[in-house]
Every structure is written in structure tokens, then in C-alpha cells.
């Protein structure tokens, strides 16, 4: 049990409440950090002030956090270069040509956005940024709410990332599972996929809503307002030779090199095994953040060389445009640093452990999958991190499943699905923050419009865990 008890939950909940009430996310996160500092420093405001500053600096002690901030800046540079080269304009023209031959251009556009989010499954933030920045002008042109774009980008990214093991998410989860001798990390992750109800249901809902163009809850009001809004004509990017391949090729390079770098980063740890076994072992031992950073860097350099051969860019303009792209990501990088700091604070306070311990006191074998899922949802919502939730819940859920005789793959799926659910709903989650920024909509409006959809599929997932729990015991 956390030594701070209920106080451990106070900083993240206060940050969430303030963000929803004021719509000022950065001050809300800083306030949450300060309250956490007060708790840790015996309510001394001066020490709490110093602790808040140190909490922001300490984010960069983690190589994974630093790489995440770095590749966010690099992806900003890549997106800017793609736009500068005419790649985005070329891609948009292809989509527009397809839409012009359609009876339902709005539906096809939404399906295209969801499909791109689903297919760029190497890392959730990259997926969200690609979808948001590429489809925003098209959504504006066809008068589809940016809040809908934020939902499609957010809800097609993390669910696909957790269902495909050969990416940063899979590497991280397999690294956590490697601590348990009775489980083969890769086999366990694969076997958990059919039980991972929340991501599967979320993707089904995303494509259903995209195809039909339907909305419910607060999203419906934003959709209606967007249809009636008089928007000025979009200013098209001035490029001489728009070319969709200038966007498609760098993204494909990023997608295909990421698994290779995942194997490379874990190769030494798997040395001495047979080749096939070493490959699978290196994936589970690989560093997801390293692989993504390397993949984005290779894509960025490849784009520069490609555009240079086309005489679209010089070394000077390559550097200039890269810096412009990084500047566009500074707000997002700031939000990510604050979100990571809140996550570290929750670890210090034992927020997740407190919530999990309170819940596990009344756990029964039949209710175990349901309770594990609900607990993971709350931990992720309160901490704003699915990966942090996975780390907390694995250390509690897997031994607990073993002790009550629960199928470990079912328990793993419940923990993973709950983490993704809470990550979607939390205003302090980095993926939620990035979705609103990339789509150009108000952050709290994105949270409000996405929450009913997440609650809907999360509720069905919870019921399924109840049913499976009673059937499997």
C-alpha cells in the first residue's frame, strides 16, 4: 500500500479537474505537480516550488522520455519537409480525386483518416501526428468537425499499436513480460490479443462511425456547428510539382525500418540463441523508443536526399524547414514533458499501487478479469499514461492471476485494454494532448467529445470480461 494513501491520487485528479474546468492544460499540470510537491515535502511551499522545477528537469533523466521528446521534434521536422516538398499537397489531391467520384465524400474521407491511423502502427504519437496534420485541411474543406478528426486519430492509433506486436508498444510490453519465467513474452502477447476487447471494439466503432458519418453525445453538436460554419477558402500550398510519393515513401521507410531497428536494439541481449529464436528474443528485448527515434531519423534523412535529387531542396532549406517543423512541435513537446513529470510524480506517490491495492482487497476469481480491467482504466486515467499503467498492473495482475488460477493471457489483455482506455480518456495523457494539437481543436473539447465513445466501448469490454470471467473459472 502507498504510504501516502488517498493523497497519492490527489495531484493527478486535481490536474484533470482543473484542466476540464479552466481549459488551460499547462497551468493545470503545473498545479498538479506543485500539489504533489507539497505532499512529498511536508506541505512546505518553498520546497514544493523547487520540487516542481526539479520534476520537470528529472523527466530527461529517463532515456525513453528524452527520446520521445526528441522524436516528436524530429517528426515535426519530417512533416514540415513533406509539406515543403509538395508531398502533402500531392496526397491531398489524390484523396480529393477519389472523393470527387464518391456519392459520400465525407464518409470516405473519415474512413481514409481512420485507415491511415490504423496502418501507421509503429508508434501512437507518430500515427496521430501523421493523421492530424495530413487530413486537417481536408476535414475543414468538407466541413467535418476537427474534434471528429482528433477522435479518429486518437482512437485508431493506440488500439492498433497494442494489437500489432512488432512496434514500440509490443517491445515495451514484452520487456515487462520477460520478468515472469512461466511466460514466453512474444507468445503471451500474441495469445492475449483475442481477449483484448477494448482496442478491438474501439477500432470497430471508429470504422463504423467513419463509414456511416454518424455521431452521438457532444460530438454531434460539434458536427452540426461545423456543417453550418462559414469557413474561408483554404489557401493551397504553393508548390510547382506536388507529388504524393514525397509523403508516402518517407512514411513507408519509417514503418519498415522500425521493426529492423527494434531487432537491432535488442540483438546483443539475445546473443547465443538460434537465429529465429534470437530474432524473436531481440524484439522483446529491444528498445521501442530507440527504434522509433532511429526510424524517424532515417526517414528524415532519406526525405532530404530524395528531395535534393528532385532539386526541391538545398542543405540550407533542409535545415531551415526542419527547424520550422520542430518549432511547430514545441507546445506539444512542453505538454509531453509535463505529462511525463506528472507520471513520475504518481510513481513517487505510489498512486497506481494505492488504487490497485484497494481494488485487489475484494477480488474474486470470477470478477478478476473485470476488476483488473476497471482498475487499469482508473490507474491510466489518473496517471495519464498507458505504459506506466502496464508497468504497475503487470507487477500486481500477473502474480494475482497465478494465485487465483486465472488464464494469464486474459489477465494481460485486461491490463493492456484498461491502460489504453484510461489513456484515451485522460486530459493529461500525452496521446490525448497530441491528438488535439495535431488536429487543431481545443484540447478539452476533444476530451469531452471522445469520452462517450470510450465509455461506450469500455462498458461493453467490461461486460465481456465479466462474462469470460465466469465462464473461465
Amino acid at each position: 500500500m502507498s504510504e501516502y494513501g488517498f493523497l497519492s491520487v490527489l495531484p493527478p485528479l486535481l490536474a484533470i479537474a482543473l484542466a476540464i474546468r479552466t481549459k488551460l492544460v499547462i497551468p493545470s499540470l503545473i498545479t498538479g505537480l506543485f500539489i504533489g510537491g507539497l505532499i512529498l515535502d511536508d506541505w512546505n511551499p518553498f520546497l514544493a516550488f523547487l520540487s516542481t522545477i526539479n520534476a520537470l528537469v528529472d523527466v530527461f533523466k529517463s532515456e525513453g522520455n528524452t527520446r520521445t521528446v526528441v522524436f516528436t521534434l524530429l517528426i515535426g521536422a519530417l512533416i514540415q519537409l513533406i509539406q515543403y516538398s509538395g508531398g502533402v499537397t500531392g496526397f491531398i489531391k489524390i484523396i480529393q480525386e477519389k472523393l470527387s467520384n464518391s456519392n459520400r465524400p465525407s464518409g470516405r474521407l473519415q474512413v481514409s483518416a481512420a485507415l491511415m491511423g490504423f496502418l501507421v502502427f509503429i508508434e501512437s504519437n507518430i500515427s496521430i501526428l501523421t493523421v492530424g496534420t495530413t487530413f486537417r485541411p481536408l476535414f475543414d474543406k468538407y466541413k467535418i468537425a476537427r474534434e471528429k478528426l482528433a477522435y479518429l486519430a486518437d482512437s485508431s492509433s493506440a488500439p492498433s499499436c497494442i494489437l500489432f506486436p512488432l512496434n514500440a508498444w509490443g517491445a515495451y510490453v514484452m520487456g515487462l513480460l520477460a520478468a515472469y519465467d512461466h511466460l514466453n513474452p512474444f507468445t503471451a502477447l500474441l495469445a492475449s490479443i483475442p481477449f483484448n476487447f477494448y482496442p478491438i471494439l474501439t477500432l470497430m466503432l471508429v470504422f463504423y462511425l467513419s463509414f456511416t458519418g454518424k455521431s452521438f453525445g457532444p460530438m454531434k453538436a460539434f458536427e452540426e456547428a461545423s456543417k453550418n460554419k462559414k469557413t474561408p477558402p483554404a489557401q493551397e500550398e504553393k508548390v510547382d510539382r506536388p507529388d504524393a510519393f514525397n509523403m508516402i515513401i518517407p512514411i513507408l521507410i519509417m514503418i519498415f525500418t522500425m521493426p529492423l531497428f527494434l531487432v537491432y536494439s535488442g540483438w546483443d541481449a539475445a546473443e547465443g540463441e538460434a537465429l529465429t529464436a534470437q530474432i524473436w528474443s531481440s524484439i522483446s528485448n529491444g528498445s521501442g523508443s530507440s527504434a522509433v527515434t532511429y526510424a524517424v531519423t532515417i526517414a528524415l534523412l532519406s526525405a532530404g536526399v530524395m528531395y535534393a535529387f528532385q532539386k526541391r531542396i538545398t542543405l540550407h532549406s533542409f535545415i531551415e524547414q526542419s527547424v520550422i517543423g520542430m518549432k511547430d512541435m514545441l507546445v506539444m513537446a512542453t505538454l509531453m514533458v509535463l505529462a511525463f513529470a506528472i507520471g513520475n510524480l504518481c510513481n513517487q506517490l505510489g498512486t497506481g499501487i494505492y488504487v490497485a491495492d484497494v481494488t485487489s482487497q475484494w477480488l474474486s476469481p470470477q470478477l478478476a478479469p473485470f476488476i483488473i480491467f476497471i482498475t487499469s482504466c482508473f490507474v491510466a486515467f489518473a496517471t495519464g499514461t498507458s505504459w506506466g499503467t502496464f508497468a504497475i498492473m503487470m507487477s500486481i495482475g500477473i502474480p494475482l492471476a497465478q494465485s487465483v488460477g486465472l488464464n494469464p493471457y486474459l489477465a494481460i489483455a485486461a491490463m493492456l485494454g484498461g491502460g489504453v482506455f484510461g489513456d484515451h480518456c485522460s486530459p493529461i495523457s500525452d496521446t490525448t494532448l497530441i491528438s488535439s494539437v495535431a488536429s487543431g481543436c481545443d484540447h478539452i473539447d476533444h476530451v469531452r467529445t471522445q469520452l462517450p465513445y470510450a465509455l461506450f466501448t469500455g462498458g461493453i469490454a467490461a461486460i465481456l470480461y465479466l462474462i469470460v470471467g465466469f465462464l473461465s473459472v
Side-chain angles (χ1 to χ4, degrees):
M1 181 73 73
S2 168
E3 62 178 294
Y4 296 101
F6 178 74
L7 287 176
S8 66
V9 187
L10 190 59
L13 291 185
L14 183 61
I16 291 167
L18 281 174
I20 293 172
R21 180 71 181 85
T22 65
K23 293 193 175 185
L24 299 172
V25 180
I26 290 178
S28 300
L29 292 172
I30 292 173
T31 302
L33 285 172
F34 181 72
I35 297 299
L38 286 174
I39 294 169
L40 290 169
D41 294 313
D42 297 324
W43 307 99
N44 185 315
F46 176 71
L47 292 178
F49 170 74
L50 297 180
S51 293
T52 302
I53 296 173
N54 289 332
L56 298 174
V57 174
D58 288 346
V59 166
F60 297 96
K61 286 184 177 179
S62 164
E63 293 181 0
N65 289 349
T66 304
R67 289 192 196 102
T68 302
V69 174
V70 168
F71 80 64
T72 298
L73 296 175
L74 291 176
I75 198 70
L78 178 61
I79 289 170
Q80 178 61 27
L81 285 171
I82 290 172
Q83 290 174 335
Y84 184 78
S85 73
V88 172
T89 303
F91 184 79
I92 287 174
K93 285 190 174 182
I94 289 177
I95 297 293
Q96 285 177 331
E97 288 172 6
K98 300 289 184 184
L99 295 176
S100 64
N101 300 322
S102 171
N103 296 326
R104 296 181 56 258
S106 173
R108 289 194 67 173
L109 178 58
Q110 293 181 57
V111 169
S112 299
L115 191 60
M116 178 172 276
F118 175 76
L119 293 176
V120 185
F121 57 82
I122 61 170
E123 208 282 328
S124 57
N125 293 346
I126 291 175
S127 173
I128 291 166
L129 288 167
T130 304
V131 173
T133 55
T134 303
F135 283 89
R136 190 197 307 170
L138 285 168
F139 271 58
D140 288 346
K141 179 178 179 178
Y142 287 90
K143 294 189 174 183
I144 307 170
R146 287 184 176 185
E147 289 75 16
K148 187 67 170 289
L149 175 59
Y151 163 70
L152 295 178
D154 201 351
S155 296
S156 62
S157 59
S160 65
C161 286
I162 201 64
L163 293 175
F164 290 96
L166 299 180
N167 57 23
W169 287 57
Y172 177 73
V173 173
M174 284 187 280
L176 295 175
L177 292 173
Y180 303 95
D181 294 335
H182 66 291
L183 294 174
N184 176 285
F186 186 72
T187 303
L189 184 57
L190 279 182
S192 72
I193 291 174
F195 299 113
N196 209 343
F197 302 130
Y198 176 74
I200 294 170
L201 291 168
T202 296
L203 288 171
M204 290 172 63
L205 182 64
V206 162
F207 284 103
Y208 171 76
L209 294 175
S210 302
F211 182 77
T212 61
K214 292 183 178 180
S215 298
F216 60 86
M219 184 72 80
K220 197 165 187 179
F222 282 96
E223 289 272 67
E224 291 299 322
S226 183
K227 288 175 185 175
N228 299 324
K229 191 192 313 182
K230 290 184 179 180
T231 54
Q235 298 198 354
E236 292 192 11
E237 187 183 354
K238 293 180 181 179
V239 288
D240 296 329
R241 297 163 291 158
D243 188 346
F245 283 102
N246 283 350
M247 173 180 166
I248 294 169
I249 291 176
I251 289 176
L252 287 178
I253 288 172
M254 194 165 54
I255 291 172
F256 286 109
T257 57
M258 193 276 164
L260 297 178
F261 282 120
L262 194 58
V263 172
Y264 171 78
S265 63
W267 191 258
D268 290 341
E271 199 172 358
E273 302 179 28
L275 180 60
T276 304
Q278 188 173 1
I279 291 172
W280 292 119
S281 182
S282 64
I283 290 171
S284 62
N285 286 296
S287 168
S289 61
S290 295
V292 170
T293 304
Y294 299 153
V296 173
T297 304
I298 290 293
L300 181 65
L301 295 175
S302 300
V305 172
M306 180 179 170
Y307 306 154
F309 273 110
Q310 297 173 2
K311 300 192 182 302
R312 294 176 185 261
I313 202 168
T314 63
L315 179 59
H316 174 76
S317 56
F318 174 82
I319 295 171
E320 182 181 54
Q321 294 301 315
S322 296
V323 171
I324 290 172
M326 290 181 188
K327 284 181 180 177
D328 290 341
M329 293 294 172
L330 282 180
V331 172
M332 193 177 300
T334 302
L335 290 170
M336 290 180 71
V337 170
L338 288 167
F340 286 140
I342 283 280
N344 292 341
L345 173 67
C346 290
N347 286 335
Q348 285 182 272
L349 293 172
T351 304
I353 295 171
Y354 168 74
V355 173
D357 282 347
V358 168
T359 309
S360 64
Q361 289 175 9
W362 44 280
L363 190 67
S364 68
Q366 292 83 359
L367 292 174
F370 171 80
I371 298 302
I372 289 172
F373 175 71
I374 295 296
T375 304
S376 297
C377 290
F378 187 77
V379 171
F381 183 85
T383 60
T385 166
S386 53
W387 285 26
T389 300
F390 300 158
I392 292 166
M393 291 304 299
M394 289 288 183
S395 62
I396 297 169
I398 291 179
L400 195 146
Q402 202 172 8
S403 66
V404 300
L406 179 67
N407 182 338
Y409 309 136
L410 179 58
I412 292 167
M415 288 181 273
L416 298 180
V420 173
F421 168 85
D423 199 17
H424 272 166
C425 299
S426 177
I428 62 175
S429 160
D430 60 328
T431 53
T432 312
L433 292 163
I434 290 171
S435 299
S436 55
V437 174
S439 304
C441 71
D442 180 81
H443 177 59
I444 301 305
D445 288 341
H446 168 48
V447 174
R448 286 176 53 236
T449 51
Q450 180 164 258
L451 187 58
Y453 298 143
L455 289 173
F456 176 71
T457 51
I460 296 174
I463 292 170
L464 289 174
Y465 283 119
L466 266 178
I467 294 170
V468 173
F470 278 93
L471 290 176
S472 62
V473 175

Coordinates of all heavy atoms in Angstrom, one line a residue, residues 24-81:
L24 N -7.2 25.2 -19.5 CA -5.8 25.6 -19.5 C -5.0 24.5 -19.0 O -4.8 24.2 -17.8 CB -5.6 26.9 -18.6 CG -6.4 28.1 -19.0 CD1 -6.2 29.2 -18.0 CD2 -5.9 28.7 -20.4
V25 N -4.5 23.7 -20.0 CA -3.9 22.4 -19.6 C -2.5 22.6 -19.0 O -2.2 22.0 -18.0 CB -3.7 21.5 -20.9 CG1 -3.1 20.2 -20.5 CG2 -5.1 21.3 -21.5
I26 N -1.7 23.5 -19.5 CA -0.3 23.6 -19.0 C -0.4 24.1 -17.5 O 0.3 23.5 -16.7 CB 0.5 24.6 -19.9 CG1 0.8 23.9 -21.2 CG2 1.8 25.0 -19.2 CD1 1.6 24.7 -22.2
P27 N -1.1 25.2 -17.2 CA -1.2 25.6 -15.8 C -1.8 24.5 -14.9 O -1.4 24.4 -13.7 CB -2.1 26.9 -15.8 CG -2.0 27.4 -17.2 CD -1.8 26.2 -18.1
S28 N -2.7 23.8 -15.4 CA -3.3 22.7 -14.6 C -2.3 21.6 -14.3 O -2.3 21.1 -13.1 CB -4.5 22.1 -15.4 OG -5.5 23.0 -15.6
L29 N -1.5 21.2 -15.2 CA -0.5 20.2 -15.0 C 0.6 20.7 -14.0 O 1.0 20.0 -13.1 CB 0.2 19.8 -16.3 CG -0.7 19.0 -17.3 CD1 0.0 18.9 -18.6 CD2 -1.1 17.7 -16.7
I30 N 1.0 22.0 -14.2 CA 1.9 22.6 -13.2 C 1.4 22.6 -11.8 O 2.1 22.3 -10.8 CB 2.4 24.0 -13.7 CG1 3.2 23.9 -15.0 CG2 3.2 24.7 -12.7 CD1 3.5 25.2 -15.7
T31 N 0.1 22.9 -11.7 CA -0.6 23.0 -10.4 C -0.6 21.6 -9.8 O -0.3 21.4 -8.6 CB -2.0 23.5 -10.5 OG1 -2.0 24.8 -11.1 CG2 -2.7 23.5 -9.1
G32 N -0.9 20.6 -10.6 CA -0.8 19.2 -10.1 C 0.6 18.8 -9.6 O 0.7 18.2 -8.5
L33 N 1.6 19.2 -10.3 CA 3.0 19.0 -9.9 C 3.3 19.7 -8.6 O 3.9 19.1 -7.7 CB 4.0 19.4 -11.0 CG 4.1 18.6 -12.2 CD1 5.0 19.3 -13.2 CD2 4.7 17.2 -11.9
F34 N 2.8 20.9 -8.4 CA 3.1 21.7 -7.2 C 2.4 21.0 -6.0 O 3.0 20.9 -4.9 CB 2.6 23.1 -7.4 CG 2.8 24.0 -6.2 CD1 4.1 24.4 -5.8 CD2 1.8 24.4 -5.3 CE1 4.4 25.2 -4.7 CE2 2.0 25.2 -4.2 CZ 3.3 25.6 -3.9
I35 N 1.1 20.6 -6.2 CA 0.4 19.9 -5.1 C 1.1 18.6 -4.7 O 1.3 18.3 -3.5 CB -1.0 19.6 -5.5 CG1 -1.8 20.9 -5.8 CG2 -1.8 18.8 -4.4 CD1 -1.9 21.8 -4.6
G36 N 1.6 17.9 -5.7 CA 2.4 16.7 -5.4 C 3.7 17.0 -4.6 O 4.1 16.3 -3.7
G37 N 4.3 18.1 -5.0 CA 5.5 18.6 -4.2 C 5.2 18.9 -2.8 O 5.9 18.6 -1.9
L38 N 4.0 19.6 -2.6 CA 3.6 19.9 -1.2 C 3.4 18.6 -0.4 O 3.8 18.5 0.8 CB 2.2 20.6 -1.2 CG 2.3 22.1 -1.6 CD1 0.9 22.7 -1.8 CD2 3.1 22.9 -0.6
I39 N 2.8 17.6 -1.0 CA 2.6 16.3 -0.3 C 4.0 15.6 0.0 O 4.2 15.1 1.2 CB 1.7 15.3 -1.1 CG1 0.3 15.9 -1.3 CG2 1.7 13.9 -0.5 CD1 -0.5 15.2 -2.3
L40 N 4.9 15.6 -0.9 CA 6.2 15.0 -0.7 C 7.1 15.8 0.2 O 7.9 15.2 0.9 CB 6.9 14.8 -2.1 CG 6.3 13.8 -3.1 CD1 7.0 14.0 -4.4 CD2 6.5 12.4 -2.5
D41 N 6.9 17.1 0.3 CA 7.8 17.9 1.1 C 7.1 18.5 2.4 O 7.4 19.6 2.8 CB 8.3 19.1 0.3 CG 9.2 18.7 -0.9 OD1 10.1 17.8 -0.6 OD2 9.0 19.1 -2.0
D42 N 6.2 17.7 2.9 CA 5.5 18.0 4.2 C 4.9 19.4 4.2 O 5.0 20.2 5.1 CB 6.5 17.9 5.4 CG 7.1 16.5 5.5 OD1 6.3 15.6 5.3 OD2 8.2 16.4 5.9
W43 N 4.2 19.7 3.0 CA 3.5 20.9 2.9 C 4.3 22.2 3.0 O 3.8 23.3 3.4 CB 2.3 21.0 3.8 CG 1.5 19.7 3.7 CD1 1.5 18.6 4.5 CD2 0.5 19.4 2.7 NE1 0.7 17.6 4.1 CE2 0.0 18.1 3.0 CE3 0.0 20.1 1.6 CZ2 -0.9 17.5 2.2 CZ3 -0.9 19.4 0.8 CH2 -1.4 18.2 1.1
N44 N 5.5 22.1 2.7 CA 6.4 23.3 2.6 C 6.4 23.9 1.2 O 6.9 23.3 0.3 CB 7.9 22.9 3.0 CG 8.8 24.1 3.1 OD1 8.8 25.0 2.3 ND2 9.6 24.1 4.1
P45 N 5.8 25.1 1.1 CA 5.6 25.7 -0.3 C 6.9 26.0 -1.0 O 6.9 25.9 -2.2 CB 4.7 26.9 0.0 CG 4.9 27.3 1.4 CD 5.2 26.0 2.1
F46 N 7.9 26.4 -0.3 CA 9.2 26.8 -0.9 C 9.8 25.5 -1.5 O 10.3 25.5 -2.6 CB 10.1 27.4 0.1 CG 11.5 27.7 -0.5 CD1 11.6 28.7 -1.5 CD2 12.6 27.0 -0.1 CE1 12.9 29.0 -2.0 CE2 13.8 27.3 -0.7 CZ 14.0 28.3 -1.6
L47 N 9.8 24.4 -0.7 CA 10.4 23.2 -1.1 C 9.6 22.6 -2.3 O 10.1 22.0 -3.2 CB 10.5 22.2 0.0 CG 11.5 22.5 1.1 CD1 11.5 21.5 2.2 CD2 12.9 22.6 0.5
A48 N 8.3 22.8 -2.2 CA 7.4 22.3 -3.2 C 7.6 23.0 -4.6 O 7.6 22.4 -5.6 CB 5.9 22.5 -2.8
F49 N 7.9 24.3 -4.5 CA 8.3 25.1 -5.7 C 9.5 24.5 -6.3 O 9.6 24.3 -7.5 CB 8.5 26.5 -5.3 CG 9.1 27.4 -6.4 CD1 8.3 27.8 -7.5 CD2 10.4 27.8 -6.3 CE1 8.8 28.6 -8.5 CE2 10.9 28.6 -7.3 CZ 10.2 29.0 -8.4
L50 N 10.6 24.2 -5.5 CA 11.8 23.7 -6.0 C 11.6 22.3 -6.6 O 12.2 21.9 -7.6 CB 12.9 23.6 -4.9 CG 13.3 25.0 -4.3 CD1 14.4 24.8 -3.2 CD2 13.8 25.9 -5.4
S51 N 10.7 21.5 -5.9 CA 10.4 20.1 -6.4 C 9.8 20.2 -7.7 O 10.0 19.3 -8.5 CB 9.5 19.4 -5.3 OG 10.2 19.2 -4.1
T52 N 8.9 21.2 -7.9 CA 8.2 21.3 -9.2 C 9.2 21.5 -10.4 O 9.1 20.9 -11.4 CB 7.2 22.4 -9.2 OG1 6.3 22.2 -8.1 CG2 6.4 22.5 -10.5
I53 N 10.2 22.4 -10.1 CA 11.2 22.6 -11.1 C 12.0 21.4 -11.4 O 12.3 21.0 -12.5 CB 12.1 23.8 -10.7 CG1 11.3 25.1 -10.6 CG2 13.3 24.0 -11.6 CD1 12.0 26.3 -10.0
N54 N 12.4 20.7 -10.3 CA 13.2 19.5 -10.4 C 12.5 18.4 -11.1 O 13.1 17.6 -11.8 CB 13.7 19.0 -9.0 CG 14.7 20.0 -8.4 OD1 15.5 20.6 -9.1 ND2 14.8 20.1 -7.1
A55 N 11.2 18.4 -10.9 CA 10.4 17.3 -11.5 C 10.4 17.4 -13.0 O 10.4 16.4 -13.8 CB 8.9 17.4 -11.0
L56 N 10.4 18.7 -13.5 CA 10.5 18.9 -15.0 C 11.9 18.5 -15.5 O 12.0 17.9 -16.6 CB 10.2 20.4 -15.3 CG 8.8 20.9 -14.9 CD1 8.6 22.4 -15.1 CD2 7.7 20.1 -15.7
V57 N 12.9 18.9 -14.7 CA 14.3 18.5 -15.2 C 14.5 17.0 -15.1 O 15.1 16.4 -16.0 CB 15.3 19.2 -14.2 CG1 16.7 18.8 -14.6 CG2 15.2 20.8 -14.4
D58 N 13.9 16.4 -14.1 CA 14.1 14.9 -13.9 C 13.5 14.1 -15.1 O 13.8 12.9 -15.2 CB 13.6 14.5 -12.6 CG 14.4 14.9 -11.4 OD1 15.6 15.4 -11.7 OD2 13.9 14.9 -10.3
V59 N 12.6 14.7 -15.8 CA 12.0 14.0 -16.9 C 13.1 13.5 -17.9 O 13.0 12.4 -18.4 CB 11.0 14.9 -17.7 CG1 10.6 14.3 -19.0 CG2 9.7 15.1 -16.8
F60 N 14.1 14.3 -18.0 CA 15.1 14.0 -19.0 C 16.2 13.0 -18.5 O 17.2 12.7 -19.2 CB 15.8 15.3 -19.5 CG 14.8 16.2 -20.2 CD1 14.2 17.2 -19.6 CD2 14.5 15.9 -21.6 CE1 13.3 18.0 -20.3 CE2 13.6 16.7 -22.3 CZ 13.0 17.8 -21.6
K61 N 16.0 12.6 -17.2 CA 16.9 11.5 -16.7 C 16.6 10.2 -17.3 O 17.4 9.3 -17.4 CB 16.7 11.4 -15.2 CG 17.4 12.6 -14.4 CD 17.3 12.3 -12.9 CE 18.0 13.4 -12.1 NZ 17.9 13.2 -10.6
S62 N 15.3 10.1 -17.8 CA 14.9 8.8 -18.5 C 15.3 8.9 -19.9 O 14.8 9.8 -20.6 CB 13.4 8.6 -18.3 OG 12.9 7.7 -19.2
E63 N 16.0 8.0 -20.4 CA 16.4 8.0 -21.8 C 15.2 7.8 -22.7 O 15.1 8.4 -23.8 CB 17.4 6.8 -22.1 CG 18.8 7.0 -21.5 CD 19.7 5.9 -21.8 OE1 19.3 4.9 -22.5 OE2 20.8 5.9 -21.3
G64 N 14.2 7.0 -22.3 CA 13.0 6.8 -23.0 C 12.2 8.1 -23.2 O 11.7 8.4 -24.3
N65 N 12.0 8.8 -22.1 CA 11.3 10.1 -22.1 C 12.0 11.1 -23.1 O 11.4 11.8 -23.9 CB 11.2 10.7 -20.7 CG 10.3 10.0 -19.8 OD1 9.5 9.1 -20.3 ND2 10.3 10.3 -18.6
T66 N 13.4 11.2 -22.9 CA 14.1 12.1 -23.8 C 14.0 11.7 -25.2 O 13.8 12.6 -26.1 CB 15.6 12.1 -23.4 OG1 15.7 12.4 -22.0 CG2 16.4 13.1 -24.2
R67 N 14.1 10.4 -25.6 CA 13.9 10.0 -26.9 C 12.5 10.4 -27.5 O 12.4 10.8 -28.6 CB 14.2 8.5 -27.1 CG 15.6 8.1 -26.9 CD 15.8 6.6 -27.3 NE 17.0 6.1 -26.8 CZ 17.1 5.3 -25.8 NH1 16.0 4.9 -25.1 NH2 18.3 4.8 -25.4
T68 N 11.5 10.2 -26.6 CA 10.1 10.5 -27.1 C 10.0 12.0 -27.4 O 9.4 12.4 -28.4 CB 9.1 10.2 -25.9 OG1 9.3 8.8 -25.6 CG2 7.7 10.4 -26.4
V69 N 10.6 12.9 -26.6 CA 10.6 14.3 -26.9 C 11.3 14.6 -28.2 O 10.9 15.4 -29.0 CB 11.1 15.1 -25.7 CG1 11.2 16.6 -26.1 CG2 10.2 15.0 -24.5
V70 N 12.5 13.9 -28.3 CA 13.4 14.2 -29.5 C 12.6 13.7 -30.8 O 12.6 14.4 -31.8 CB 14.7 13.4 -29.3 CG1 15.5 13.4 -30.7 CG2 15.6 14.1 -28.3
F71 N 12.0 12.5 -30.7 CA 11.4 12.1 -32.0 C 10.1 12.8 -32.3 O 9.7 12.9 -33.4 CB 11.2 10.5 -32.0 CG 10.0 9.9 -31.3 CD1 8.7 10.2 -31.7 CD2 10.2 9.0 -30.3 CE1 7.7 9.6 -31.1 CE2 9.2 8.4 -29.6 CZ 7.9 8.7 -30.0
T72 N 9.5 13.4 -31.3 CA 8.4 14.3 -31.5 C 8.9 15.6 -32.3 O 8.2 16.0 -33.3 CB 7.7 14.8 -30.2 OG1 7.2 13.6 -29.5 CG2 6.6 15.8 -30.4
L73 N 10.0 16.1 -31.9 CA 10.6 17.2 -32.7 C 11.0 16.8 -34.1 O 10.8 17.5 -35.0 CB 11.8 17.8 -31.9 CG 11.5 18.4 -30.5 CD1 12.8 18.8 -29.8 CD2 10.5 19.6 -30.6
L74 N 11.6 15.6 -34.2 CA 12.0 15.1 -35.5 C 10.8 14.9 -36.4 O 10.9 15.1 -37.6 CB 12.9 13.9 -35.3 CG 14.2 14.0 -34.7 CD1 14.9 12.7 -34.5 CD2 15.1 14.9 -35.5
I75 N 9.8 14.3 -35.9 CA 8.6 14.1 -36.7 C 8.0 15.4 -37.2 O 7.4 15.5 -38.3 CB 7.5 13.2 -36.0 CG1 6.6 12.5 -37.0 CG2 6.7 14.0 -35.0 CD1 7.1 11.5 -37.8
G76 N 8.1 16.4 -36.3 CA 7.7 17.8 -36.8 C 8.5 18.2 -37.9 O 8.0 18.8 -38.9
A77 N 9.8 18.0 -37.9 CA 10.7 18.4 -39.0 C 10.3 17.6 -40.3 O 10.3 18.1 -41.4 CB 12.2 18.1 -38.6
L78 N 10.1 16.3 -40.1 CA 9.7 15.4 -41.2 C 8.4 15.9 -41.9 O 8.3 16.0 -43.1 CB 9.6 14.0 -40.8 CG 9.2 13.0 -41.9 CD1 10.3 13.0 -43.0 CD2 9.1 11.6 -41.3
I79 N 7.4 16.2 -41.1 CA 6.1 16.7 -41.6 C 6.3 18.0 -42.4 O 5.7 18.2 -43.5 CB 5.1 16.8 -40.5 CG1 4.7 15.4 -39.9 CG2 3.9 17.6 -40.9 CD1 3.9 15.5 -38.7
Q80 N 7.1 18.9 -41.8 CA 7.3 20.2 -42.5 C 8.0 20.0 -43.8 O 7.7 20.6 -44.8 CB 8.2 21.1 -41.6 CG 8.5 22.4 -42.2 CD 7.3 23.3 -42.5 OE1 6.2 23.1 -41.9 NE2 7.4 24.2 -43.5
L81 N 9.0 19.1 -43.9 CA 9.7 18.8 -45.1 C 8.8 18.2 -46.2 O 8.9 18.5 -47.4 CB 10.9 17.9 -44.9 CG 12.2 18.5 -44.2 CD1 13.2 17.5 -43.8 CD2 12.8 19.6 -45.1

